[in-house]
Amino acid sequence: MTRSRADLDCSSVLLEPEQFPPDDLLSWPGLFGDDRPILIEVGSGKGLFLVNAGRRRPEFGCFGVELARKYARLAAERAVKAGLTNVRMWPGDAGSLLARRVPAASVREVHVYFPDPWWKKRHKKRRVFNETLVASILRVLEPNGELHVATDVEEYHGVIRDLLAAEPRFVEIDPPPLNDPEDDHDYLTNFERKYRIEGRPVYRSSYRLITDGK
């Protein structure tokens, strides 16, 4: 189990939501210092994907949202230890953030990997990936922006694909190539590392937002 380091200053990465006016939109230039493209990860966990994205794509502003503050802190620590200046972590609910706080058509990519355990039909009301989230992603993505999703649950993957197939502005595209990791840090997320080591399949889909039939 990764332990948090209370002595590590994460203030450059870990945002404090209560310090932001509750009714104001986020300012990407204010957070990252310029008009760089923005990548959002919904549910960053301990930050493996987010930090890898920040390291490999320095031209992007990489913004993670994680409901569990202890994990948001661990993700921020990971970014600080890696010396990254293009990563920010928001501890809070991604649904309300995307619906109300993220400027419309301002995000190049949204990534949702291994969302919550509420994938069974009886848990439908609790699922993170639902019609409301899809509507919010549509709102924040810029034209030709991309959505990338992954889960280890085949049934849930089918639910996600059905939700996205019902929205004509999303066109399915090939997911990025999934290479064999050279070490533990090359996996998509901690969950992917666990599941692939166990030999369990991972179901992935990617989509592009089109406008005006293009």
Side-chain angles (χ1 to χ4, degrees), residues 5-14 16 73 76-81 84:
R5 282 186 50 189
D7 62 321
L8 189 63
D9 182 6
C10 295
S11 58
S12 62
V13 175
L14 186 62
E16 300 293 342
R73 167 78 192 189
E77 290 181 11
R78 195 173 223 151
V80 170
K81 291 174 185 177
L84 298 175

Side-chain angles (χ1 to χ4, degrees), residues 33-129:
D34 54 29
D35 288 322
R36 66 181 59 206
I38 299 299
L39 173 159
I40 289 182
E41 184 187 16
V42 173
S44 297
K46 299 176 185 177
L48 181 58
F49 167 77
L50 195 69
V51 168
N52 282 339
R55 182 184 295 116
R56 294 167 179 167
R57 306 172 77 179
E59 74 279 10
F60 271 74
C62 299
F63 187 88
V65 190
E66 171 55 49
L67 183 61
R69 186 175 180 85
K70 65 178 181 178
Y71 290 142
R73 167 78 192 189
L74 287 171
E77 290 181 11
R78 195 173 223 151
V80 170
K81 291 174 185 177
L84 298 175
T85 61
N86 65 327
V87 172
R88 302 289 183 271
M89 273 301 308
W90 180 278
D93 177 62
S96 60
L97 185 84
L98 290 174
R100 303 181 184 90
R101 307 295 299 275
V102 174
S106 69
V107 176
R108 182 74 52 86
E109 296 179 11
V110 174
H111 297 254
V112 188
Y113 297 133
F114 304 95
D116 66 23
W118 311 111
W119 53 270
K120 294 183 179 180
K121 289 183 179 179
R122 66 176 181 269
H123 297 149
K124 183 176 180 180
K125 291 183 179 180
R126 294 186 176 185
R127 289 176 185 160
V128 167
F129 210 108

Side-chain angles (χ1 to χ4, degrees), residues 160-205:
I160 291 171
R161 293 192 67 188
D162 286 345
L163 284 170
L164 296 171
E167 175 45 65
R169 287 173 288 176
F170 274 130
V171 173
E172 191 164 6
I173 59 177
D174 291 334
L178 191 61
N179 299 320
D180 290 330
E182 294 182 4
D183 61 47
D184 278 354
H185 297 292
D186 286 340
Y187 287 96
L188 195 63
T189 69
N190 288 310
F191 281 112
E192 190 220 1
R193 176 170 57 199
K194 174 184 176 181
Y195 297 148
R196 290 181 67 184
I197 289 173
E198 293 175 352
R200 294 162 62 176
V202 173
Y203 305 95
R204 302 161 62 241
S205 296

